């Protein structure tokens, strides 16, 4: 039998029993669609987080108070932390290390900001000019914090784009006085729109000199020290130097955790990558279920077409021709299911992107290939048994059955 | 040389502990071009004999020579080839593939034999014309009358130009007039040289054959053409 004829014959058999074909294609497509959509979700989440972290700055080393028990990085620490003695002087000391380009102390809290009777809660970030350089933040109007100035005397503030808009609307903000907490600050700059930064949105902050913020929150400790290494290769030495400097300054006690952004990124990348694989695996189970359905449906098909199989044998079809016809049919149905499922999955991922525009919900190539491949292989694998049953059928008995 | 030579054929079916001797010590020789009616009461082994002749079934003992060749020892693949090229079947219940049109049903043996579509089309068109089915070419079996269905089946049985046609009660599902038409078709084929072996329990139909083989309990009890 010619390959083209096998294909046409199998396609004819498949379309000859529409309900059976529909069920099989449906089962297969649900499995494939599940894999495509769920991996798009998982991988989208991974890419989202990785992007957010990358936007924190490059060649970044972060010093946080408190010793991490395991020595590794605990993602919870990246956002919350236990206050320990980490001071502005520590930050300045680290800045003098050979591999370190600059450092920025960071203290964070919330306070109330008001201007002209308008009131809103804002995240107050106390830091220095280097913070802007490390994070690559720019101002849309005015200027950044004056360099080297950490003194109480300078009561200046820089507003996030959204804070400015809500408090000032169309009015110019630079040069005006704004009340934050119970003190007044002169606005010297407004930040350019930045979108998100993980854990805090740079558009919704008010940046103050670090000592002003510390005074406002009545504390001497810092939330973080951001350290920028002199280059990519200097990151690890900068990390060790920072740890050593703090240890020396803290009576030889290792009471801080120093992490590199690469480690943070790698950790998130790994966690979310594993999550994506897990989700893909769970969705893959539905493909296996689909395979079993394929087998049952094909077994029904073989029973349904017993007379036809007997006839084919009487007309001189050898066993392998009959097996090929049924295998081809199973493969065609799985392929149709796989293609349909892929389209549904991509449609679902598209819908996800519409619903959550910030989430890059694209199914990774490996997942798409794995889903399509698994669908075809399962279809064929589970088609073998029914096809063999058809091929081995006794022609006399098959013909007798009507 | 005889087309078909059966000697000492045994066919035993085992049902539970009981054995049914469907064929017992059967010798039969049929020459090319003969017209043989196999007759006898129900259960006498007629269909079993025809299935053996058509290589759909195997004897438990004895030899079957077809065109001088011992076919009982052939591999399944080679037997399929013999069926494809030398044997045409006509069944009581037609056995047309319901989803295929008349033309596609007739073309089926050629498709299985790997004949090119262009040649298939030509031969099918000619066969349909020969059997007066040209205007039914695109109809499915359920759109055809019984007589038309059996004519499609005969066209299919002859499309590979076999040496013999094996027909098991070919008129069993047809009324008498239609049945006679079908028999005339088959007899016309025989007149053109094809060996025709028809199983029937209808004495009237049996009388039409030049040679009659009477079966009873798996054995030949009468053979008008025995040499
Ligand atoms: N597959 C089978 N299993 C068991 N017994 C069978 C089988 N096929 C035929 N027989 C028995 O063999 C005998 C001959 O059957 P068959 O050749 O069909 O008779 P006929 O066609 O003359 O009516 C019957 O007794 C029948 O019951
Ligand atoms: Mg019978």
């Amino acid at each position: 039998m010619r390959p083209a004829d096998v294909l046409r014959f199998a396609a004819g058999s498949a379309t000859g029993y529409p309900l059976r074909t529909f069920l099989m294609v449906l089962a297969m497509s649900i499995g494939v669609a599940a894999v495509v959509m769920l991996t798009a979700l998982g991988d989208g989440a991974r890419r989202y987080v990785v992007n957010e972290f990358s936007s924190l700055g490059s060649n970044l080393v972060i010093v946080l108070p408190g010793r991490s028990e395991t020595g590794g990085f605990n993602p919870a620490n990246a956002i919350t932390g236990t206050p320990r003695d980490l001071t502005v002087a520590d930050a300045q000391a680290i800045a003098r290390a050979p591999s370190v380009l600059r450092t920025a102390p960071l203290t964070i809290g919330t306070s109330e900001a008001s201007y002209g009777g308008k009131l809103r809660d804002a995240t107050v970030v106390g830091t220095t000019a280097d913070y802007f350089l490390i994070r690559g933040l720019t101002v849309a109007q005015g200027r950044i914090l004056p360099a080297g100035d950490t003194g109480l005397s300078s009561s200046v503030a820089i507003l996030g784009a959204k804070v400015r808009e809500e408090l000032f609307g169309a009015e110019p903000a630079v040069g005006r006085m704004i009340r934050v907490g119970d003190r007044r600050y002169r606005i010297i700059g407004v930040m350019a729109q930045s979108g998100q930064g993980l854990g805090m949105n740079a558009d919704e902050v008010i940046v103050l000199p670090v000592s002003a913020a510390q005074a406002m929150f009545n504390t001497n400790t810092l939330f973080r020290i951001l350290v920028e290494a002199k280059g990519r290769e200097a990151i690890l030495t900068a990390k060790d130097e920072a740890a050593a400097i703090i240890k020396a300054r803290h009576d030889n006690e290792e009471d801080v955790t120093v992490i590199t952004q690469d480690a943070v990124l790698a950790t998130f990348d790994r966690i979310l990558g594993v999550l994506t694989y897990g989700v893909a695996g769970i969705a893959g189970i539905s493909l296996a279920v689909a395979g079993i359905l394929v087998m049952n449906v094909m077994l029904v098909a073989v029973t349904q077409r017993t007379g036809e199989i007997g006839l084919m044998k009487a007309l001189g079809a050898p066993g392998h021709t009959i097996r090929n016809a049924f295998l081809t049919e199973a493969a065609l149905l799985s392929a149709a299911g796989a293609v349909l499922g892929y389209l549904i999955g991509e449609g679902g991922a598209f819908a996800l992107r519409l619903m959550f525009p910030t989430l890059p919900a694209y199914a990774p190539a490996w997942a798409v290939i794995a889903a399509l491949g698994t669908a075809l292989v399962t279809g064929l694998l589970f088609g073998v048994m029914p096809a063999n049953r058809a091929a081995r059928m006794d022609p006399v008995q098959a013909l007798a059955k009507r | 040389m005889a087309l078909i030579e059966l000697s000492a054929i045994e066919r035993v079916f085992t049902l539970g502990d009981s054995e049914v001797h469907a064929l017992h010590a059967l010798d039969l020789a049929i020459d090319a071009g003969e017209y043989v009616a196999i007759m006898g009461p129900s259960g006498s082994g007629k269909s079993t004999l025809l299935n053996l002749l058509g290589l759909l079934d195997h004897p438990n003992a004895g030899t079957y020579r077809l065109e001088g060749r011992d076919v009982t020892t052939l591999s399944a693949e080679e037997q399929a080839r013999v069926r494809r090229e030398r044997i045409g079947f006509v069944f009581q219940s037609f056995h047309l593939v319901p989803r295929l049109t008349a033309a596609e049903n007739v073309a089926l043996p050629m498709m299985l034999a790997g004949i090119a579509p262009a040649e298939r089309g030509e031969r099918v068109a000619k066969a349909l014309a020969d059997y007066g089915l040209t205007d039914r070419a695109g109809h499915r079996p359920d759109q055809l009358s019984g007589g038309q269905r059996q004519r499609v089946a005969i066209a299919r049985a002859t499309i590979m130009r076999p040496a013999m046609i094996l027909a098991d009660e070919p008129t069993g599902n047809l009324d008498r007039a239609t049945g006679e038409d079908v028999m005339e078709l088959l007899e016309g084929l025989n007149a053109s040289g094809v060996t025709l072996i028809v199983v029937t329990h209808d004495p009237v139909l049996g009388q039409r054959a030049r040679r009659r083989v009477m079966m009873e309990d798996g054995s030949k009890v009468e053979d008008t053409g025995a040499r």
Side-chain angles (χ1 to χ4, degrees), chain B residues 142-221:
Chain B
D142 58 4
Q143 299 164 314
L144 299 174
S145 72
Q148 286 167 336
R149 284 183 215 182
Q150 199 57 304
R151 275 188 282 157
V152 171
I154 293 170
R156 182 181 64 193
T158 54
I159 199 81
M160 291 295 289
R161 304 182 188 113
M164 60 166 142
I165 288 190
L166 305 177
D168 195 348
E169 312 261 9
T171 63
N173 282 7
L174 303 174
D175 59 60
R176 180 152 290 278
T178 318
E180 276 187 8
D181 289 347
V182 163
M183 284 315 291
E184 272 163 27
L185 265 182
L186 291 172
E187 285 157 7
L189 288 169
N190 174 246
S192 70
V194 180
T195 310
L196 177 62
I197 303 173
V198 180
V199 163
T200 179
H201 62 262
D202 180 343
V204 181
L205 281 181
Q207 287 307 316
R208 300 167 69 118
R210 283 193 300 281
R211 177 179 173 189
R212 283 173 300 284
V213 174
M214 298 295 294
M215 300 285 297
E216 224 176 281
D217 285 339
S219 298
K220 204 165 70 165
V221 291

Side-chain angles (χ1 to χ4, degrees), chain A residues 98-150:
Chain A
S99 302
V100 173
L101 185 62
R102 50 172 81 92
T103 63
L106 207 59
T107 186
I108 288 179
T110 52
S111 190
E112 227 167 41
S114 64
Y115 172 80
K118 271 178 270 182
L119 207 70
R120 71 157 282 166
D121 282 330
T123 305
V124 173
V125 175
T127 186
T128 60
D130 283 342
Y131 175 72
F132 292 84
L133 302 176
I134 290 172
R135 288 209 44 192
L137 295 172
T138 54
V139 285
Q141 296 138 33
R143 54 192 171 84
I144 63 171
L145 288 176
D149 185 1
T150 58

